[in-house]
Amino acid sequence: MSETVIEISGVSKTYEGNKLAVDNVSLSVAKGEFLTIIGPSGCGKTTLLRLINGLVDFDSGDILIMNRQFHSWDKVQLRRSIGYVIQSAGLFPHLSVKQNMQFVMSISGIDEAIQEKRAHELAQMIEFGDSQLNEFPENLSGGQQQRVGVARALAMKPQVMLMDEPLGSLDNVTRRKLQNELLNIHQKSGTTFVMVTHDLREAFTLGTRVAIMNKGRIEQCDTPEIIRGNPANEWVSQFVMEY
Ligand code: ADP
Ligand code: MG
């Protein structure tokens, strides 16, 4: 039996103004999975990630994260236990690559020798040389910034990595390269990955399972093979036809 890391049961989220962003979603994510989430713009993908991360609260249903009920988590601690990567990388501009990677470790009071060792491990993981550790974000390419964003999110060895269109702003060549790196990092780290993408090919090549969302609901969540061979309904069938 595989261990469940995230268990979402019948969760709905309405924003102010009565906008139903997530509509009765149930989803369980097993340890070590690489789950990709795809669907039209505005269908609730980002909201779903933000729910898992404790950045927004839900109206109904329940969420268990790492076997702990959502509301019993200290939200700061929850966010430090989960890696989060967004499209714009969001690096601290006044901090070097190394300082960016060490930021959460340093505010968590981790021993400096351990921080140092971890920064070098992370650099190796994203194929950065030691001299690049002292660069500042403005001197890095978009692809390099995203790599550092991923490394920073992995610094505390989180059990779960949430990524919201992390490769969305990159050109095709860089994106393909980073897709492969993400697969490698996923394998090496053993961390559970949940990644939103708007690229069907990316969703199907990286995901061990793919969740297809539409209008706040998950239309289907299955392996790429099952979705292709057995789409749950006409909408899914149309949606994946492009692939
Ligand atoms: P996606 O990431 O799939 O594009 P989002 O989760 O960002 O979708 O948004 C889902 C829906 O909720 C959209 O209709 C969006 O306009 C709405 N929404 C998102 N964030 C907010 C917010 N902070 N306040 C009000 N409505 C929001
Ligand atoms: Mg989004």
Side-chain angles (χ1 to χ4, degrees):
M1 268 288 286
S2 58
E3 190 185 325
T4 302
V5 184
I6 302 165
E7 181 82 57
I8 300 174
S9 317
V11 162
S12 295
K13 164 68 189 171
T14 310
Y15 285 110
E16 277 178 40
N18 276 340
K19 174 73 212 177
L20 182 60
V22 167
D23 182 7
N24 193 22
V25 161
S26 296
L27 174 69
S28 67
V29 185
K31 187 171 161 55
E33 264 199 276
F34 196 142
L35 179 78
T36 53
I37 302 175
I38 189 163
S41 180
C43 71
K45 305 180 295 295
T46 293
T47 303
L48 191 58
L49 288 195
R50 290 167 63 85
L51 280 164
I52 297 169
N53 214 4
L55 288 164
V56 293
D57 203 345
F58 45 90
D59 316 323
S60 53
D62 205 4
I63 304 182
L64 280 180
I65 301 164
M66 294 173 251
N67 294 318
R68 226 158 108 188
Q69 203 277 334
F70 182 89
H71 294 109
S72 78
W73 272 99
D74 171 77
K75 292 302 181 292
V76 173
Q77 200 196 340
L78 174 64
R79 283 192 282 277
R80 283 188 196 168
S81 313
I82 295 182
Y84 193 42
V85 181
I86 53 174
Q87 187 174 333
S88 60
L91 301 179
F92 304 116
H94 57 290
L95 298 183
S96 69
V97 166
K98 188 167 155 206
Q99 288 166 331
N100 265 283
M101 287 174 175
Q102 292 178 335
F103 183 76
V104 178
M105 290 188 279
S106 80
I107 60 174
S108 303
I110 306 270
D111 187 80
E112 275 186 33
I114 294 173
Q115 288 188 37
E116 191 69 21
K117 182 163 172 277
R118 186 68 180 144
H120 288 280
E121 283 170 7
L122 291 164
Q124 213 165 32
M125 213 184 280
I126 58 167
E127 294 175 6
F128 263 50
D130 282 351
S131 63
Q132 285 172 293
L133 284 175
N134 298 317
E135 295 276 6
F136 282 82
E138 63 179 1
N139 298 323
L140 302 177
S141 70
Q144 288 173 325
Q145 289 188 25
Q146 267 330 78
R147 284 197 184 87
V148 176
V150 169
R152 183 180 60 176
L154 284 166
M156 298 283 279
K157 302 188 177 172
Q159 282 195 54
V160 180
M161 274 280 274
L162 305 177
M163 297 179 282
D164 198 350
E165 306 199 23
L167 313 181
S169 64
L170 306 176
D171 63 83
N172 278 337
V173 175
T174 311
R175 189 189 310 182
R176 297 271 181 275
K177 190 155 183 287
L178 259 74
Q179 285 172 351
N180 284 326
E181 285 191 19
L182 281 180
L183 280 176
N184 280 333
I185 292 171
H186 174 252
Q187 264 169 7
K188 277 188 214 149
S189 63
T191 301
T192 307
F193 278 21
V194 179
M195 176 171 129
V196 169
T197 171
H198 61 249
D199 180 317
L200 267 174
R201 186 177 183 277
E202 186 166 286
F204 277 77
T205 50
L206 299 189
T208 48
R209 279 194 309 155
V210 182
I212 300 190
M213 284 188 79
N214 179 33
K215 296 183 179 162
R217 291 173 168 268
I218 294 181
E219 298 277 357
Q220 186 166 12
C221 182
D222 270 315
T223 63
E225 293 70 32
I226 292 177
I227 294 176
R228 261 186 251 122
N230 230 329
N233 55 46
E234 186 55 28
W235 191 90
V236 172
S237 164
Q238 289 289 330
F239 185 78
V240 302
M241 208 129 73
E242 291 171 49
Y243 174 63

